[in-house]
Amino acid sequence: MADDAAAARRISTGELTGLNTLNPYLQGLYEPVAAETTELELTVIGEIPKDLHGSFVRNGPNPHAAPEGMHHWFDGDGMIHAVYFENGKAEYRNRYVGTDDYRAEKAGKVIGAGGVLMPSAKSRAESTRGELVYKDTANTDLVFHNGSLMALWYISGKPVRVDARTLETLGNETFGGALPRHVSAHGKVDPRTGEFCFFDYSLTEPWMTYGVVSKDNVLTNFQRVELPGPRLPHDMGLTENYVILHDLPVVFTEGGLRNHMWQIKVADQPARFGVAPRNGRGDQIKWFETETCYIYHVVNAWEDGDEVVMTACMMQPNGFPPNPAYGPYASMVNVLALNAVPVEWRMNMVTGEVKKRRLDDRIGEFPVINLDYTGAKSKWSYHVSMAPEELQRFDGLLKYDLGTGAAQEYRFADGVGGSEPAFAPRIGSTSEDDGYVVVFATAPDGTSEVQVLNAQDFDKGPIARIPLPVRVPAGFHGTWAPGDQIAA
């Protein structure tokens, strides 16, 4: 891994070149780390509860080579950071996700930066029918299913199986060769059945798909849903009997489609939520129209009588004008400034009516729940709070009561950037919030730690802090893998 370390160190020591000297998402909290690291004996400040057992894992972008052209934060190679807890002790590891494209680049093939800001070499070489082809980084999400992790990518790619304890790449997941195409980020696992439910979408064609994989890793349903045009959904909802697909008004511009560039706009059209039978046909979907909005992340969804309920973080204008100090990256910085609030939608499957309820005015995102309640009525969710700054920095955590909209707050120290947390049920837990909230936190001086909070004493702060041997850059999504379910 010496080459990776040298390349990443060029960035982390300030050796940026050209336009990337203006790119804030290659510096500070967002700098890639220099190497893969394993540390089996971590110091603990406080005490790790002995009923905390499993892996807290988080994915994110980490370029293995210093970008030479225009670079978007979303395009970095996937790297997973993990802390494994058992019997009051903790281990740390970080590893690159061994996608086909990552391995090809390591072998000397030119793949390219990724494609959000600049078409990649792979896109130019492999786009034979005008479709958009990007470097598949598997850098976005992690889902724990059938004893191991799947690393997933938001533009839809090949799922990559990863060992939840060691983080070693196990290989691409095709569900026994039955996967027809790709899997997007933010699939869901039903804790009652063990099924993995996912969606996929085309960047240029007017359709999306959804599928169901059994607890034994067998593809049991795969359906196509027709759309009025190409769409760019990011998440989905899951209930006991339904999947909820998103037809949202953020779409590619005509010029973007024509020039194979990631150029998007907000179209003048309503948002639509499509409720489809999980194990039925795609043409049985029922669409519900609501006010124009965009949603990155769903909190949870469930069924309540005739209604399908979905809670999610709804985006609003961020209020920041593009800052010319960032040069050609001003637009990227502006779009990345998340400004979302929690909202509940109730869709009546009999009358077709939609009711919308805003739960709170606080700005937050990257919501997580106790995954044992996925697809069932839940009371609690845990969100990052957003610092009122141009750059995306998580300055604390919010614990929401989804019924009342009330929230407890926990703030990191000044300047610290956190990550999406995970909820870890206590061994022998007896209620929804009987467990721990685990989160990475990185200080401005580059030191990182894992913090463990008692979810039922949330606003009192960490009961344990575990300093880490390397910095954990700001990243994307994570999850909790229960220790007794991790495959040997």
Side-chain angles (χ1 to χ4, degrees), residues 391-426:
L391 301 182
Q392 187 179 118
R393 181 172 69 87
F394 306 159
D395 65 359
L397 301 175
L398 300 165
K399 178 186 178 181
Y400 272 107
D401 182 325
L402 297 176
T404 66
Q408 302 171 48
E409 298 184 1
Y410 163 62
R411 298 289 174 181
F412 302 126
D414 290 346
V416 169
S419 69
E420 179 181 271
F423 180 87
R426 183 180 65 82

Side-chain angles (χ1 to χ4, degrees), residues 37-43 84 89-93 95 165 469:
T37 300
T38 300
E39 179 57 63
L40 301 182
E41 296 184 8
L42 297 176
T43 301
Y84 175 79
K89 297 182 179 180
E91 306 169 356
Y92 169 80
R93 294 172 178 83
R95 296 289 188 275
R165 173 78 182 269

Side-chain angles (χ1 to χ4, degrees), residues 48-266:
I48 299 173
K50 292 189 177 181
D51 54 10
L52 176 63
H53 180 209
S55 285
F56 168 48
V57 289
R58 200 221 67 196
N59 207 345
N62 197 87
H64 77 89
E68 296 180 358
M70 289 277 286
H71 175 77
H72 195 286
W73 189 39
F74 287 0
D75 287 342
D77 300 280
M79 176 177 273
I80 303 173
H81 300 260
V83 175
Y84 175 79
F85 299 92
E86 186 172 11
N87 198 30
K89 297 182 179 180
E91 306 169 356
Y92 169 80
R93 294 172 178 83
N94 67 322
R95 296 289 188 275
Y96 279 102
V97 181
T99 65
D100 290 346
D101 286 344
Y102 172 77
R103 294 177 183 274
E105 280 196 333
K106 295 294 292 177
K109 182 179 178 180
V110 176
I111 300 296
V116 173
L117 290 182
M118 295 286 287
S120 67
K122 176 184 178 183
S123 177
R124 292 191 295 272
E126 299 184 10
S127 181
T128 58
R129 296 177 305 186
E131 73 270 24
L132 298 165
V133 182
Y134 297 131
K135 178 182 177 182
D136 187 343
T137 61
N139 71 6
T140 310
D141 200 8
L142 293 166
V143 173
F144 183 71
H145 170 256
N146 193 33
S148 65
L149 300 168
M150 282 187 286
L152 305 174
W153 186 44
Y154 73 104
I155 302 181
S156 290
K158 297 177 182 178
V160 180
R161 283 282 180 181
V162 175
D163 188 290
R165 173 78 182 269
T166 68
L167 301 189
E168 297 304 319
T169 295
L170 303 175
N172 294 336
E173 179 59 82
T174 65
F175 311 121
L179 180 63
R181 192 173 178 272
H182 296 145
V183 173
S184 187
H186 305 310
K188 316 290 183 188
V189 175
D190 185 325
R192 291 159 295 281
T193 65
E195 291 174 318
F196 170 59
C197 301
F198 66 92
F199 72 102
D200 178 31
Y201 62 98
S202 168
L203 294 174
T204 58
E205 299 291 339
W207 49 262
M208 69 174 72
T209 60
Y210 69 93
V212 181
V213 178
S214 74
K215 64 181 178 63
D216 300 318
N217 219 37
V218 176
L219 184 71
T220 59
N221 194 23
F222 188 82
Q223 297 292 322
R224 178 161 160 164
V225 174
E226 302 299 326
L227 297 170
R231 295 294 187 262
L232 298 171
H234 193 77
D235 204 347
M236 65 178 289
L238 176 69
T239 72
E240 180 181 359
N241 296 295
Y242 300 105
V243 297
I244 307 171
L245 304 179
H246 295 176
D247 174 3
L248 304 175
V250 173
V251 299
F252 277 118
T253 65
E254 292 182 7
L257 289 171
R258 184 171 56 253
N259 298 318
H260 299 186
M261 297 287 287
W262 193 275
Q263 296 171 344
I264 59 177
K265 66 177 182 178
V266 178

